[in-house]
Amino acid sequence: MAPLLARKTWSAGAFLALAAAVRGASLDDVCTPEYAAAALPPTGFYDYVGLTVNADSVTANPVTNYTVGPTDSVFFPAATFDYCNVTFTYSHTGRNDSVLLTLWLPTPDEFQNRWLSTGGGGYAINSGTGSLPGGVQYGAVAGQTDGGFGVDQSNAIDTFLVENGTVDWQDVYMFGYQAIRELTLLGRNFTANFFETNDTKVYTYYQGCSEGGREGWSQVQRFSDAFDGAAIGAPAFRFAFQQVQHLYSGVVEKTLDYYPPPCELEAIMNATILACDGLDGRLDGVVARTDLCTANFNINATLGLPYSCAASSGGGGFGGAGGGATTTPAQVGNVTAEAIAVAQTILDGLHDDEGNRVYFSYTPTSSWDDAETTYNADTGEWEATVSGLGGGFVHVLLQLQEGDNLASLDGITYSTLRDWIYQGWNEYQDSLMTNWPDLTPYKGAGGKVIHFHGESDFSIPAASSVRYWNSVREVLFPHLSYNDSVSAINDFYKLYLIPGAGHCDTNAYEPNGPFPQTNLAVLIDWVENGVQPVTLNGTVLQGDNLGANQQICAFPLRPYWANNGTTLQCQYDQASIDSWNYDIDAFALPVY
Ligand SMILES: *[C@@H]1O[C@H](CO)[C@@H](O)[C@H](O)[C@H]1NC(C)=O
Ligand SMILES: *[C@@H]1O[C@H](CO)[C@@H](O)[C@H](O)[C@H]1NC(C)=O
Ligand SMILES: *[C@@H]1O[C@H](CO)[C@@H](O)[C@H](O)[C@H]1NC(C)=O
Ligand SMILES: *[C@@H]1O[C@H](CO)[C@@H](O)[C@H](O)[C@H]1NC(C)=O
Ligand SMILES: *[C@@H]1O[C@H](CO)[C@@H](O)[C@H](O)[C@H]1NC(C)=O
Ligand SMILES: *[C@@H]1O[C@H](CO)[C@@H](O)[C@H](O)[C@H]1NC(C)=O
Ligand SMILES: *[C@@H]1O[C@H](CO)[C@@H](O)[C@H](O)[C@H]1NC(C)=O
Ligand SMILES: *[C@@H]1O[C@H](CO)[C@@H](O)[C@H](O)[C@H]1NC(C)=O
Ligand SMILES: *[C@@H]1O[C@H](CO)[C@@H](O)[C@H](O)[C@H]1NC(C)=O
Ligand SMILES: *[C@@H]1O[C@H](CO)[C@@H](O)[C@H](O)[C@H]1NC(C)=O
Ligand SMILES: *[C@@H]1O[C@H](CO)[C@@H](O)[C@H](O)[C@H]1NC(C)=O
Ligand SMILES: *[C@@H]1O[C@H](CO)[C@@H](O)[C@H](O)[C@H]1NC(C)=O
Ligand SMILES: [Ca+2]
């Protein structure tokens, strides 16, 4: 007998009729608050996980003909489907809190025994339902959580302090990993009950990018049964390093006392892409080999290059560091030695005042987002911007002051950044850092990971993902040769660098590059049919080649277009592999 039969609280006759027929039922038959409430996990389940679902909170309504266009999302292809929109709240037993889950259920005839957990971005714990269609179109119930942050679900950092000086550890840990775990446990149990899967396995998946990528890793690193498969993009893990490094570009500008107009840095980037395009064997506007770009292109060559950008009325935007409208004057000039020095120092990565390496930077084809200066209309000068992602971390989580950013970068040296990283690493090692390299339990349970990262990512360095993949490889397979360890890690965890892609997105500056839009289909095939991906399926999602298919090489193999740019080869290139390794010697501990 299905577990829900024992728990139902209303008319037994009506319920039994529905339950027996769930697979043949229509959406309208089952998409009701009563039916959904009956599928909530049983009381014993809550005792075990320390959660209490509020049965009175359940809502459910059918939604028909929901449509995703071919380029509406980079994370899943076009689809039109009906779904059941279910929400309910739960609390932690003994606490008086309330966490809201939102679940999108496929229709009974489309359900394929799958559950998908999803995450957010920035300091958001979810993507405002933007990630849920990716599950439903593959026959999965897709879920997200508000982490208990309520109105702050899109900016959880607002909840990380009780008051100045007092950390709200419950909220930090919910954000760190607990909320996604609870989402998965409750969601897949609800799914099994709702669709009466009985003893049939409900495959459990994850999809997320950036902060959502960190959230995915937070599960894979902790729970053997986290997921059967996870598709994880550009994770914001190694959190203290990742957040503080957002401040580095501004500190470089302050230290060198030069504040390049954004157009000047964009001109350097454009010239870099142009110069490096062909190094991968194909002139297509995509720099598939940023390592060859770093090795062969000297940005000093851009000295004197004319640049010109029109004035902007700031029509679209408010915000910016100053909080005002982003009105900027026309920017016309020639690339200066000062701008090149700023750019090169940023590319070299953060070193402390003694010259020891603290972290690494973006690839040279990445747009200079962290370095983007702010125009001060009062002085007519460009000024360093204080990155909110980095400044918020320091202000709130290190200095324990309510608010959302540091007031300025005055007095901050490279060694200050080092010390902030060390403090954040130390204090949030078990909650936010998320770079535990031992994946033995997850691997042992048969879990799979597809990890990808745009090679022109301007917000999380691509080298961050390479470093973690290498850490896992070395920790799990210390006694194997390099090639054997690559083969061993590839059996459950594959890393793909996406040529030309930006941060969790396509890149307007390199429009002909692919994006792995069908990752969930590839992952499902790996998990359920044992088809381990070799290259990763990619699709061009903009520009003249819209819709074209391109395959993406698995690291450490690197792309090269042979036969005059017509044939993709995934090559073993020792110099390229080595170029992703950095000796972080500013700290005594290893940095995984
Ligand atoms: C699960 O069990 C219920 C009750 O015995 C039955 O009606 C239903 O068809 C079963 N579902 C599956 C997928 O076998
Ligand atoms: C749901 O929870 C109940 C009670 O702990 C358990 O018996 C059942 O196996 C769970 N189902 C799933 C799919 O997790
Ligand atoms: C959904 O779209 C299909 C095809 O356009 C149409 O036939 C159907 O009536 C629509 N259903 C609803 C409920 O709008
Ligand atoms: C889903 O349900 C929630 C809670 O009732 C509601 O706020 C939201 O508007 C619903 N969404 C859709 C698309 O029906
Ligand atoms: C729980 O919260 C509710 C409303 O937010 C309040 O009425 C109730 O007294 C609280 N219970 C406890 C035990 O704090
Ligand atoms: C950089 O290239 C893009 C096209 O990829 C163009 O729109 C932009 O104006 C260029 N910027 C500069 C400063 O030349
Ligand atoms: C670029 O030019 C600067 C200033 O002339 C010089 O110090 C630096 O060494 C040059 N960099 C490279 C990589 O050639
Ligand atoms: C930029 O350099 C060109 C020569 O290459 C020169 O003619 C022009 O005046 C310079 N423009 C500015 C704004 O300095
Ligand atoms: C907390 O700190 C912020 C920033 O330092 C300050 O503006 C605010 O007044 C303080 N709040 C209280 C309640 O002391
Ligand atoms: C490692 O594998 C690559 C092919 O992936 C091959 O080219 C290389 O020679 C191998 N290295 C060793 C030491 O066997
Ligand atoms: C690969 O991507 C193409 C579009 O580029 C798509 O048509 C195809 O279904 C995808 N294959 C898989 C296995 O998802
Ligand atoms: C190589 O490809 C370019 C276009 O990318 C074409 O113009 C050129 O003729 C080709 N060369 C040969 C030898 O086919
Ligand atoms: Ca190219």
Side-chain angles (χ1 to χ4, degrees):
M1 179 181 279
L4 68 154
L5 298 182
R7 287 174 286 111
K8 67 167 301 307
T9 52
W10 63 90
S11 159
F15 176 73
L16 282 169
L18 284 177
V22 62
R23 291 308 181 106
S26 74
L27 191 62
D28 285 340
D29 288 337
V30 294
C31 191
T32 65
E34 293 75 21
Y35 189 91
L40 293 172
T43 307
F45 182 80
Y46 306 144
D47 291 346
Y48 171 62
V49 295
L51 307 174
T52 306
V53 173
N54 176 4
D56 296 336
S57 69
V58 179
T59 76
N61 66 285
V63 179
T64 52
N65 279 359
Y66 184 88
T67 298
V68 186
T71 57
D72 282 354
S73 173
V74 297
F75 297 116
F76 40 82
T80 297
F81 54 80
D82 301 341
Y83 69 94
C84 180
N85 170 40
V86 171
T87 68
F88 59 84
T89 63
Y90 68 91
S91 67
H92 296 96
T93 311
R95 281 188 195 273
N96 207 10
D97 58 354
S98 177
V99 184
L100 173 69
L101 302 187
T102 301
L103 278 50
W104 284 16
L105 283 60
T107 59
D109 58 325
E110 298 288 342
F111 175 67
Q112 294 183 61
N113 292 316
R114 294 173 186 144
W115 161 262
L116 177 75
S117 290
T118 69
Y123 283 104
I125 187 89
N126 64 51
S127 309
T129 73
S131 296
L132 302 181
V136 180
Q137 67 172 278
Y138 294 111
V141 176
Q144 67 181 40
T145 176
D146 83 339
F149 309 129
V151 296
D152 292 318
Q153 68 183 31
S154 59
N155 193 29
I157 196 170
D158 276 352
T159 74
F160 288 171
L161 299 182
V162 180
E163 284 191 34
N164 288 343
T166 304
V167 176
D168 189 332
W169 285 108
Q170 175 65 13
D171 281 350
V172 170
Y173 280 102
M174 281 296 276
F175 188 76
Y177 63 88
Q178 200 183 327
I180 302 291
R181 177 60 171 169
E182 292 165 358
L183 165 69
T184 305
L185 289 175
L186 291 171
R188 70 179 163 202
N189 201 289
F190 174 86
T191 298
N193 295 338
F194 191 97
F195 289 106
E196 299 226 286
T197 58
N198 306 337
D199 292 333
T200 310
K201 179 179 171 69
V202 174
Y203 287 101
T204 305
Y205 295 97
Y206 182 83
Q207 186 172 35
C209 204
S210 196
E211 163 57 24
R214 188 201 63 75
E215 289 162 15
W217 276 118
S218 77
Q219 309 299 294
V220 172
Q221 292 168 2
R222 282 182 177 81
F223 309 112
S224 62
D225 65 342
F227 315 115
D228 295 295
I232 295 180
F237 57 14
R238 212 174 296 105
F239 201 74
F241 288 77
Q242 167 56 29
Q243 300 302 41
V244 173
Q245 67 93 23
H246 277 301
L247 297 170
Y248 174 55
S249 297
V251 173
V252 169
E253 290 165 351
K254 300 271 291 185
T255 304
L256 300 184
D257 195 25
Y258 182 73
Y259 307 90
C263 188
E264 190 174 21
L265 290 178
E266 188 175 78
I268 293 174
M269 177 190 67
N270 280 0
T272 303
I273 293 171
L274 192 63
C276 294
D277 180 1
L279 296 174
D280 58 21
R282 180 153 95 161
L283 285 170
D284 57 355
V286 178
V287 180
R289 291 293 298 275
T290 60
D291 54 306
L292 294 177
C293 190
T294 299
N296 291 290
F297 183 63
N298 182 347
I299 61 170
N300 281 1
T302 64
L303 183 66
L305 183 74
Y307 64 82
S308 170
C309 296
S312 134
S313 65
F318 295 91
T326 55
T327 300
T328 57
Q331 303 162 54
V332 181
N334 294 338
V335 170
T336 60
E338 289 82 359
I340 291 171
V342 163
Q344 190 61 57
T345 307
I346 293 170
L347 291 177
D348 290 344
L350 174 58
H351 293 70
D352 64 17
D353 296 336
E354 289 75 51
N356 298 312
R357 180 177 288 279
V358 177
Y359 212 43
F360 39 74
S361 194
Y362 308 111
T363 54
T365 49
S366 308
S367 61
W368 301 89
D369 274 45
D370 283 350
E372 186 165 332
T373 49
T374 306
Y375 186 68
N376 183 332
D378 296 334
T379 62
E381 304 283 345
W382 294 90
E383 298 175 348
T385 305
V386 189
S387 155
L389 287 167
F393 177 77
V394 174
H395 185 75
V396 175
L397 283 164
L398 301 187
Q399 300 178 341
L400 307 187
Q401 297 295 297
E402 292 182 322
D404 52 22
N405 204 350
L406 293 166
S408 81
L409 297 173
D410 292 348
I412 296 167
T413 71
Y414 300 140
S415 287
T416 314
L417 298 180
R418 176 201 60 198
D419 294 347
W420 280 340
I421 286 173
Y422 191 77
Q423 182 189 350
W425 177 7
N426 189 299
E427 293 177 359
Y428 298 96
Q429 172 62 46
D430 68 338
S431 55
L432 299 173
M433 276 292 281
T434 324
N435 62 336
W436 183 269
D438 179 7
L439 305 182
T440 301
Y442 184 82
K443 173 178 177 291
K448 309 285 187 260
V449 180
I450 292 175
H451 178 165
F452 65 97
H453 204 131
E455 198 162 319
S456 292
D457 192 315
F458 51 81
S459 185
I460 299 178
S464 168
S465 284
V466 176
R467 186 177 193 86
Y468 180 73
W469 181 87
N470 266 321
S471 296
V472 173
R473 186 183 54 75
E474 288 169 358
V475 165
L476 289 187
F477 311 110
H479 304 304
L480 297 185
S481 70
Y482 181 80
N483 276 1
D484 287 350
S485 71
V486 167
S487 167
I489 193 172
N490 279 348
D491 282 344
F492 85 104
Y493 166 18
K494 302 206 72 163
L495 172 66
Y496 296 91
L497 299 181
I498 315 301
H503 182 59
C504 296
D505 206 348
T506 56
N507 177 5
Y509 296 109
E510 299 177 67
N512 296 322
F515 204 87
Q517 192 187 39
T518 61
N519 265 350
L520 263 185
V522 173
L523 183 65
I524 288 168
D525 211 21
W526 192 6
V527 165
E528 298 181 20
N529 304 321
V531 181
Q532 178 182 324
V534 181
T535 53
L536 185 62
N537 202 38
T539 309
V540 180
L541 295 175
Q542 58 182 334
D544 295 342
N545 302 324
L546 179 69
N549 184 270
Q550 281 185 25
Q551 297 299 305
I552 299 156
C553 298
F555 197 85
L557 300 184
R558 300 287 289 145
Y560 187 79
W561 292 94
N563 301 324
N564 194 30
T566 58
T567 312
L568 177 67
Q569 293 180 345
C570 296
Q571 300 183 338
Y572 184 93
D573 179 332
Q574 195 62 52
S576 181
I577 294 170
D578 294 346
S579 76
W580 294 95
N581 297 335
Y582 293 91
D583 180 16
I584 296 182
D585 55 358
F587 305 103
L589 276 176
V591 179
Y592 292 118

